[in-house]
Amino acid sequence: MEELGKKTLQEPRIKFDNVSKVFETRSQEIVAVKDYSMEVLTGEFVSIIGPSGCGKSTLIRMLDGIIKPTYGAIYLDGIQVNEEGKMPKETLRKMGFIFQQPNLLPWYTVRENVALPLRIFGLSGQAWEKRVDELLELVGLTKSGQLFPYEISGGMLQRAGVIRAMVHDPEILLMDEPFGALDELTREQLNMELLDIWKETRKTIIFITHNVEEAVLLSSRIYIMGTQPGRLVSTVNIDLPRPRSLKMITQPEFISYKQKLTKLIGDLDLSKIK
Amino acid sequence: MNTTTAVQKKRKPESIGSGYLNILAPLIVLVILIAALEFFTRAFGISRFVLPPPTDIIAQTISNFPEIWPHFLFTLKIVAIGFMISVPLGMLIAALFSQYEILVKAISPVIIWLVITPMITLIPLIMLWLGTDPNLRVIVVIIQATPIITLNTLNGFTNIEGEKLELAKSVGASKRQTFIKIIFMNAMPQVFTGIKLGCIFSTIGAISADFVAGTVGLGSRIVQYTKYNSIELSYGCIIIIALIGICLFSIVELIEKRIVLWKN
Ligand SMILES: Nc1ncnc2c1ncn2[C@@H]1O[C@H](COP(=O)(O)OP(=O)(O)OP(=O)(O)O)[C@@H](O)[C@H]1O
Ligand SMILES: [Mg+2]
């Protein structure tokens, strides 16, 4: 009871309040997101799952100031963000964005790419440089720091993209299918690394994925989105104990969550066909 | 760290090897070409008015070099100065226009029009306006070479993946930071393409200015030598002009290789 009381009193870190996004293209208006609401508390790990094109990327791109919402408001620490389409650096510094593609800049070395946010946020000094090296080491890229992106593998690129988003020590991580392009083994390994990072640093994480198993394993709560228009369909709390490990995948609770989600997403596709 | 250096060590000899080959292969082709021309001109008795044997061209050019030298220096000066003004000017114009999308749209057709117009057609007019001082040919070089540099640079600036700009936005990069760290760097390969074309256009500009009027410059030499049937020397001057262009081009390419390390 007490904990529940605390929770309700706590102000959400991130709040989407009836957010819609309409893209105007040459031929038509695309409603990418319609009336989306969501609240995320400090230190929570939530996932957004849904079919391709349902507006997942659009959602977190609005939060990170890349695009402007058409209707509704997004709040970060109770302050509305992204009103004018340009966000102050102090607000952006709180967030790290991991792109769907690694999105490294070909003209910088791996290390320069990882350090880019520091240069732009104006964070200099030994401590920050040391942090870059530590992060490179964390994901096994120390030896590749001086190489150019075209000289490293796809998985390495993706890992570089992940630590670039963390280099300025943001409290919030926005991850857009960060491991989507990777093979299953690497993906599982990186998921576990991500859980470690989250456990140690207690960052607030919004994680976007297509993968049900991944979502159940990582999240405290999963938002399921439907498509055309992109909208919230249901929310599922995952009350599995922590710390979580890959071993849990075969446990009955885990499997029942997985089935429940798979069914919810499946129903969604069926209703679309109808 | 160890493997990094090992990787770099492994790569180096490879690139040096291919570097030698890059220089050697065209040289071999050149020697074969000269030998073949020498053989054909002599074996089939081709008239020296059409094509003198290469050895005659080389011998006569060398023996007349003191006479050609000042013209060479003059043309080199015009090309070099014109080129060195055109490069920053072309890039600056592109940088200014690229700040506003509407300006890019407005100015692009004009630039293409300038690129396509052979500036030789303007030379008599320019001389009419500015006088006959041969040094004014630098202006011809500039208006011949600048537009192509602007055009390519501008293409480079506008030809950028949205994701890269989104990255800049997500870290709150200022307009200046975005331009320097992303837009300009992204355009670098295309900027160099523009500059290399600028080398060619500079040489064309200088020679065509020589053709129209005056008694200095390698272009005017070609006109003179041809008039007096010194075909060997005409060819000699043509080769020297080509060499100026090739040297300039090679220098730019060398610089490009030093700077654009990331282009595979
Ligand atoms: N810049 C844009 N202009 C026009 N339409 C857009 C733009 N960006 C996204 N859309 C549209 O918005 C919808 C949602 O796109 P979004 O990228 O958010 O989907 P997603 O859920 O991330 O899909 P995926 O899982 O394939 O990455 C799509 O229909 C897409 O066509
Ligand atoms: Mg997406």
Side-chain angles (χ1 to χ4, degrees):
Chain A
M1 257 331 246
E2 227 184 87
E3 238 195 277
L4 217 117
K6 255 189 214 155
K7 249 189 182 171
T8 44
L9 280 178
Q10 197 182 342
E11 188 186 345
R13 193 83 221 252
I14 297 158
K15 184 175 171 189
F16 281 73
D17 188 12
N18 266 309
V19 174
S20 297
K21 177 71 191 177
V22 183
F23 287 108
E24 310 218 358
T25 65
R26 265 156 292 139
S27 53
Q28 71 200 100
E29 281 195 346
I30 298 173
V31 184
V33 175
K34 193 166 190 316
D35 299 333
Y36 190 93
S37 296
M38 164 173 95
E39 290 185 6
V40 182
L41 303 180
T42 300
E44 274 191 314
F45 193 130
V46 304
S47 290
I48 301 174
I49 199 165
S52 187
C54 70
K56 305 183 293 294
S57 299
T58 303
L59 271 181
I60 58 171
R61 276 149 48 117
M62 286 190 285
L63 174 57
D64 204 27
I66 294 169
I67 50 177
K68 255 185 359 174
T70 317
Y71 306 105
I74 301 171
Y75 300 90
L76 181 69
D77 295 328
I79 297 164
Q80 187 175 352
V81 297
N82 204 357
E83 253 179 311
E84 278 93 43
K86 176 138 176 71
M87 279 162 76
K89 273 192 183 180
E90 311 83 69
T91 314
L92 287 172
R93 242 203 84 180
K94 292 181 184 174
M95 294 183 279
F97 193 99
I98 298 164
F99 289 82
Q100 204 162 354
Q101 260 67 50
N103 203 11
L104 295 201
L105 302 174
W107 46 88
Y108 288 140
T109 62
V110 172
R111 193 183 189 285
E112 285 167 343
N113 263 290
V114 170
L116 182 79
L118 299 183
R119 309 282 176 263
I120 292 185
F121 286 126
L123 305 170
S124 55
Q126 285 239 303
W128 288 109
E129 295 311 311
K130 213 177 128 224
R131 182 173 168 82
V132 177
D133 293 325
E134 281 167 2
L135 284 169
L136 284 169
E137 181 156 12
L138 180 75
V139 293
L141 286 175
T142 305
K143 287 168 187 163
S144 316
Q146 301 312 315
L147 299 178
F148 283 104
Y150 78 87
E151 297 173 303
I152 64 175
S153 75
M156 290 157 97
L157 287 173
Q158 205 82 39
R159 277 179 271 167
V162 171
I163 58 172
R164 175 183 58 193
M166 301 177 13
V167 73
H168 54 288
D169 200 18
E171 297 144 33
I172 300 164
L173 282 178
L174 310 175
M175 312 180 82
D176 195 351
E177 294 190 54
F179 316 130
L182 301 181
D183 63 280
E184 196 131 350
L185 268 175
T186 317
R187 187 184 180 119
E188 279 175 357
Q189 186 202 335
L190 290 177
N191 280 340
M192 297 328 288
E193 279 173 23
L194 182 60
L195 273 181
D196 283 344
I197 292 169
W198 179 69
K199 200 174 66 195
E200 275 165 34
T201 58
R202 277 288 150 169
K203 294 195 185 301
T204 308
I205 299 183
I206 299 182
F207 187 87
I208 287 176
T209 180
H210 270 122
N211 186 310
V212 175
E213 188 169 285
E214 193 172 71
V216 176
L217 183 67
L218 298 172
S219 337
S220 328
R221 191 163 60 258
I222 299 175
Y223 295 90
I224 300 172
M225 287 184 77
T227 183
Q228 284 173 354
R231 65 201 189 282
L232 184 60
V233 176
S234 54
T235 309
V236 179
N237 287 312
I238 307 292
D239 296 317
L240 291 171
R242 300 213 185 244
R244 296 183 188 167
S245 71
L246 278 175
K247 273 178 260 158
M248 296 172 82
I249 291 178
T250 48
Q251 288 170 4
E253 302 100 299
F254 191 95
I255 293 171
S256 78
Y257 271 123
K258 222 176 112 175
Q259 282 167 344
K260 182 176 171 193
L261 277 152
T262 312
K263 186 171 178 308
L264 280 168
I265 294 166
D267 288 348
L268 215 118
D269 282 347
L270 284 179
S271 65
K272 217 178 87 186
I273 291 164
K274 266 184 236 161
Chain B
M1 269 299 152
N2 274 334
T3 32
T4 318
T5 46
V7 167
Q8 278 163 357
K9 262 181 201 143
K10 240 192 252 160
R11 194 178 300 134
K12 263 208 175 127
E14 199 183 292
S15 64
I16 285 173
S18 61
Y20 276 138
L21 205 67
N22 283 346
I23 298 167
L24 212 59
L27 273 180
I28 292 169
V29 170
L30 195 69
V31 169
I32 292 173
L33 195 71
I34 290 172
L37 283 176
E38 185 77 24
F39 173 78
F40 277 115
T41 46
R42 293 204 189 274
F44 297 100
I46 289 171
S47 160
R48 61 174 278 270
F49 291 109
V50 178
L51 182 67
T55 45
D56 286 0
I57 295 175
I58 294 167
Q60 288 210 31
T61 307
I62 290 173
S63 65
N64 282 287
F65 206 66
E67 191 193 308
I68 297 172
W69 180 247
H71 297 282
F72 163 74
L73 282 185
F74 175 79
T75 299
L76 184 66
K77 181 181 81 181
I78 298 292
V79 171
I81 294 175
F83 173 74
M84 285 193 294
I85 294 173
S86 299
V87 171
L89 184 66
M91 285 165 63
L92 191 73
I93 293 171
L96 291 178
F97 285 131
S98 72
Q99 301 304 307
Y100 302 96
E101 212 172 308
I102 179 77
L103 277 183
V104 174
K105 285 199 181 116
I107 209 72
S108 289
V110 179
I111 292 169
I112 291 169
W113 175 76
L114 278 175
V115 170
I116 294 171
T117 313
M119 288 308 156
I120 191 169
T121 55
L122 286 181
I123 291 164
L125 292 173
I126 291 172
M127 289 193 312
L128 191 70
W129 300 326
L130 297 173
T132 49
D133 182 350
N135 288 317
L136 288 175
R137 289 174 203 173
V138 168
I139 294 170
V140 180
V141 172
I142 293 170
I143 55 179
Q144 182 83 69
T146 304
I148 190 75
I149 296 171
T150 303
L151 187 70
N152 276 276
T153 308
L154 212 50
N155 270 344
F157 286 163
T158 45
N159 188 357
I160 184 160
E161 289 166 57
E163 260 202 346
K164 300 210 162 76
L165 296 175
E166 290 183 0
L167 172 67
K169 260 191 162 177
S170 80
V171 287
S174 65
K175 221 177 160 183
R176 210 179 66 109
Q177 285 172 322
T178 308
F179 185 76
I180 295 171
K181 289 180 193 289
I182 300 194
I183 296 175
F184 187 73
M185 294 301 278
N186 180 69
M188 202 76 99
Q190 263 170 297
V191 171
F192 270 106
T193 306
I195 295 175
K196 283 192 278 188
L197 286 168
C199 299
I200 300 165
F201 278 59
S202 298
T203 323
I204 294 173
I207 298 303
S208 43
D210 285 353
F211 274 165
V212 173
T215 49
V216 283
L218 288 171
S220 77
R221 279 304 88 193
I222 294 172
V223 175
Q224 292 295 314
Y225 288 139
T226 312
K227 208 180 205 169
Y228 296 113
N229 285 342
S230 305
I231 308 299
E232 288 84 0
L233 292 179
S234 300
Y235 273 102
C237 289
I238 292 172
I239 293 168
I240 295 171
I241 292 162
L243 284 176
I244 293 176
I246 291 169
C247 284
L248 204 57
F249 193 91
S250 306
I251 292 169
V252 173
E253 204 161 49
L254 213 70
I255 295 170
E256 181 185 14
K257 283 215 176 98
R258 293 264 146 147
I259 295 178
V260 188
L261 296 167
W262 63 90
K263 213 175 92 186
N264 207 346

